[in-house]
Amino acid sequence: MKYFALLALVLVMSGCTYSFRGASLPPGVHSISVQVFDDKSGFGDPSLRTNLTNLLTQQLVSDNTYQVTNMSSADAAVIGTITDVTTKPVAISGNEQVGKWQITIYVTIRFENLKTQKDIWTKQFSDWGE
């Protein structure tokens, strides 16, 4: 199950990456902190929240628009919540064994200006992989 979840995370994050390049953000926001995702999905994989947080952090570091730092020195924070994870079989063999699963991950991301304590934006994302 762990391998299944990690594979799905890679597929999901590759499909729904978000870039801050070209985004219109408040003046003075030069660094961001990515908080460990909250998991309200009930999916049951304790590594899901950490793995998804790490994947998003890696994407933001490679985007190179803002410095990714800790919460105490950041201008803004990315706060994510995994709201749901669904799985369904998409290929069943002759002996009724599932050969391929489809997994969909739903997340809500809030981008908060830590200087003003106000949300810059909140968006919901979902994507799936097999």
Side-chain angles (χ1 to χ4, degrees), residues 110-127:
R110 186 167 55 93
F111 192 50
E112 179 185 345
N113 185 326
L114 295 174
K115 293 178 178 182
T116 64
Q117 300 295 306
K118 294 187 179 185
D119 288 353
I120 298 169
W121 53 255
T122 300
K123 296 181 187 264
Q124 295 178 342
F125 297 92
S126 68
D127 206 349

Side-chain angles (χ1 to χ4, degrees), residues 13-83:
M13 288 307 293
S14 67
C16 71
T17 56
Y18 189 86
S19 174
F20 289 99
R21 287 194 188 281
S24 176
L25 296 175
V29 175
H30 305 288
S31 60
I32 58 176
S33 172
V34 179
Q35 300 304 293
V36 175
F37 276 56
D38 189 16
D39 185 0
K40 295 185 177 180
S41 70
F43 184 60
D45 183 348
S47 64
L48 180 66
R49 58 195 295 259
T50 304
N51 291 332
L52 193 54
T53 302
N54 290 340
L55 287 168
L56 178 60
T57 301
Q58 290 170 5
Q59 287 290 327
L60 292 172
V61 167
S62 67
D63 183 66
N64 204 29
T65 303
Y66 297 97
Q67 177 185 1
V68 178
T69 187
N70 61 35
M71 187 79 151
S72 63
S73 61
D75 300 320
V78 176
I79 303 157
T81 301
I82 303 165
T83 57

Side-chain angles (χ1 to χ4, degrees), residues 64-105:
N64 204 29
T65 303
Y66 297 97
Q67 177 185 1
V68 178
T69 187
N70 61 35
M71 187 79 151
S72 63
S73 61
D75 300 320
V78 176
I79 303 157
T81 301
I82 303 165
T83 57
D84 198 13
V85 178
T86 60
T87 59
K88 69 179 181 180
V90 293
I92 300 174
S93 65
N95 59 358
E96 296 188 20
Q97 293 290 328
V98 176
K100 189 183 286 188
W101 289 89
Q102 175 181 310
I103 182 169
T104 305
I105 299 177

